[in-house]
Amino acid sequence: MSDRLARRYAFWLRCYPSGPRRAEMLATLLECAPPERTRPTGREILNLIGYGLRARLGRPASTGVVVLAVLVTLASGLLGAAAAARIGWANAPSLPSGAESAALGETVFPGQRVWGGGDAEPFVPSGDGEQTIYGYADYWVKHNDTTRDVLAYARGARDRLAAAGWDVHGDVVFEEEVASETPIGTATFWASRDDLVLGYTGVLWGNRAPWDSDGAASFQLSRSAPPWMITLAVAGGVLGGFAGWLLFGWASRCSEGHPLRTSVAGALGWAAAVWTLLVGSMGGLWNLQPDRPADEFVWLGLRSLTGGSGTVILAMAVAAFAAVRLRAAFPAAVLLAGVVVLSGWQSAAAAACTPSGPPADPAPADVAHSRVARVFIAQDSTDEQRNHAEAAIARVWGTTSFSFHYDPTDEEYRHAYCDGGELTGDSGMKVPYFWDIGMSSPGVFPALVDEVSPMPGVVAVVHGRTA
């Protein structure tokens, strides 16, 4: 019998807890092996792994405990990777600004006044609120005779980006709808360079009223995962998986011989593990956007495991620990409370105020990532002035929604004038009406100011604090 075979058996026998049982099994395996065998068979390896893990988990007669242990380890690894990725994205580099931003705008739109730019959060809700997408900065130019040929201009932008070192993915895609009352022509492509993704869109709307926009040539600039982010997420996944395995082993051994504890903790463990895997995979698929890097499936899936979903999973884990041993639930509950606090739980009520006019402009740092603005218009403005102001709001390329508020009892008055606090007395009856405006990215605000501020009756355009 070769020493090589003995060493290989001994390697796989490490799946069992240390002790004399290993030596007994090694002697038995060597005695039963044919003389010509030099390595364990695949069936022997699987048996040694499976039965060894059962023994380590204190359940040598259970098959399901190994399956659950693997699922819990995988789920814990995903949660660890999600936590590490969230930390990484929170410290990701800002989008280009200053000279770098201006140079990019000049590359795509040479010789034109470029609006937008600025920074954005790594992830934001989609326009309909149904998905989580990568945060982006909108850049655009108002249409002129050159840009209205959307296909030719898109091809020129593509070529200029390629010459500047960008990787252009595919050709320009042109779609045209001529049968509708408002003919639409759209040209799109996307490109990437370093840790940035650029999605170009040129759109022309026909048969528009003179006061309406007929589209724009634009692009959205967002981040992609830098190489160090992958290292960070993998490290978090390994640590999370290792911790999950150790905690599962402890729980399995502590609940041995207690059928009720085993049943309750096992049910919660199955639920938490399956829910983690489902949320991670479905979150990546549901939020995945076309014409984006393929690895975004991973990052969007990990993102979906943070916030509310992660809190629910941790709550199930706390309940499982409580079922195994009540006193073990305390440190887990402390961890859960810390996650909730760090997630931004706020319970303090805002102070009441007595406004006498539009709120002051907030500090730039307070609205650096805000995608909300408000346009205030005098109460004595005419219907025509309000219509003109609303048309100006709609002309800005990056406005995604707007709603008009004139009732002082409206909750939006509290957010607009008192940061969520009550308006005292009849002060709400004396302040200007306003529009709440959603913007595609924070950098849209200067264009909104430029377009709307000159309108008669408009008294202020303010960047809102609410994201």
Side-chain angles (χ1 to χ4, degrees):
M1 194 64 58
S2 68
D3 291 339
R4 179 181 298 177
L5 179 61
R7 288 195 302 270
R8 289 174 173 171
Y9 274 133
F11 174 80
W12 294 109
L13 282 167
R14 292 181 180 179
C15 294
Y16 282 81
S18 59
R21 179 65 173 158
R22 285 187 185 177
E24 294 173 3
M25 293 190 66
L26 178 60
T28 302
L29 288 168
L30 292 174
E31 183 178 349
C32 296
E36 67 278 4
R37 179 171 296 172
T38 59
R39 65 181 66 243
T41 65
R43 185 173 181 178
E44 286 176 328
I45 291 174
L46 291 177
N47 284 333
L48 290 173
I49 293 174
Y51 287 102
L53 293 180
R54 292 189 205 177
R56 280 190 176 273
L57 296 171
R59 311 276 177 154
S62 173
T63 303
V65 70
V66 176
V67 177
L68 182 55
V70 171
L71 287 177
V72 168
T73 301
L74 288 174
S76 301
L78 283 175
L79 292 172
R86 186 163 188 122
I87 294 171
W89 283 112
N91 294 278
S94 300
L95 292 173
S97 60
E100 185 181 2
S101 174
L104 178 58
E106 179 66 19
T107 298
V108 182
F109 308 120
Q112 302 195 54
R113 173 64 168 94
V114 182
W115 296 96
D119 198 13
E121 291 183 304
F123 297 92
V124 297
S126 60
D128 57 10
E130 295 291 328
Q131 296 173 293
T132 297
I133 61 176
Y134 277 68
Y136 58 87
D138 250 328
Y139 290 69
W140 75 93
V141 295
K142 299 175 182 179
H143 268 323
N144 54 51
D145 292 340
T146 303
T147 60
R148 285 191 177 94
D149 187 349
V150 293
L151 178 58
Y153 199 84
R155 287 172 174 166
R158 174 202 60 190
D159 294 342
R160 289 189 292 274
L161 285 168
W166 287 75
D167 294 323
V168 179
H169 304 273
D171 202 354
V172 175
V173 177
F174 180 69
E175 298 178 349
E176 191 172 18
E177 298 179 23
V178 297
S180 64
E181 293 183 3
T182 303
I184 304 173
T186 306
T188 60
F189 70 88
W190 72 286
S192 60
R193 186 179 70 180
D194 299 329
D195 303 328
L196 297 173
V197 178
L198 184 152
Y200 179 94
T201 300
V203 61
L204 179 66
W205 299 311
N207 297 335
R208 302 285 283 184
W211 55 83
D212 286 335
S213 168
D214 63 349
S218 69
F219 66 85
Q220 295 176 349
L221 189 68
S222 61
R223 303 169 180 84
S224 61
W228 59 263
M229 188 82 72
I230 300 172
T231 303
L232 182 64
V234 169
V238 171
L239 289 174
F242 183 65
W245 169 260
L246 291 179
L247 288 172
F248 184 89
W250 169 84
S252 177
R253 291 188 293 272
C254 286
S255 60
E256 185 181 7
H258 301 277
L260 181 59
R261 292 184 188 179
T262 299
S263 298
V264 174
L268 289 168
W270 277 102
V274 172
W275 181 248
T276 301
L277 298 174
L278 282 177
V279 169
S281 57
M282 295 305 296
L285 290 172
W286 176 255
N287 294 311
L288 191 62
Q289 301 292 308
D291 297 333
R292 300 280 304 182
D295 69 341
E296 291 189 358
F297 165 81
V298 175
W299 303 111
L300 290 168
L302 293 177
R303 187 74 179 186
S304 67
L305 289 171
T306 61
S309 296
T311 303
V312 171
I313 293 167
L314 287 176
M316 287 191 283
V318 170
F321 284 128
V324 173
R325 185 170 292 177
L326 186 59
R327 65 185 181 187
F330 178 73
V334 171
L335 173 62
L336 176 61
V339 170
V340 172
V341 171
L342 292 175
S343 297
W345 186 290
Q346 296 179 353
S347 58
C353 73
T354 307
S356 58
D361 289 325
D366 293 340
V367 293
H369 292 150
S370 172
R371 297 182 296 125
V372 168
R374 295 183 178 95
V375 173
F376 296 86
I377 192 165
Q379 286 196 13
D380 59 359
S381 59
T382 65
D383 289 343
E384 183 179 17
Q385 288 174 335
R386 294 172 196 167
N387 289 336
H388 287 168
E390 196 161 284
I393 294 170
R395 281 196 297 271
V396 179
W397 175 254
T399 55
T400 59
S401 63
F402 52 89
S403 56
F404 187 63
H405 300 277
Y406 60 90
D407 182 358
T409 63
D410 189 341
E411 185 179 353
E412 295 304 323
Y413 259 68
R414 297 168 54 186
H415 292 292
Y417 284 102
C418 294
D419 289 332
E422 296 282 351
L423 279 70
T424 59
D426 63 348
S427 58
M429 302 292 293
K430 304 173 184 178
V431 292
Y433 304 144
F434 64 93
W435 285 271
D436 253 334
I437 300 168
M439 302 182 295
S440 60
S441 66
V444 171
F445 182 72
L448 184 68
V449 173
D450 182 84
E451 189 73 35
V452 180
S453 291
M455 295 293 105
V458 172
V459 296
V461 182
V462 178
H463 207 161
R465 287 189 175 87
T466 306

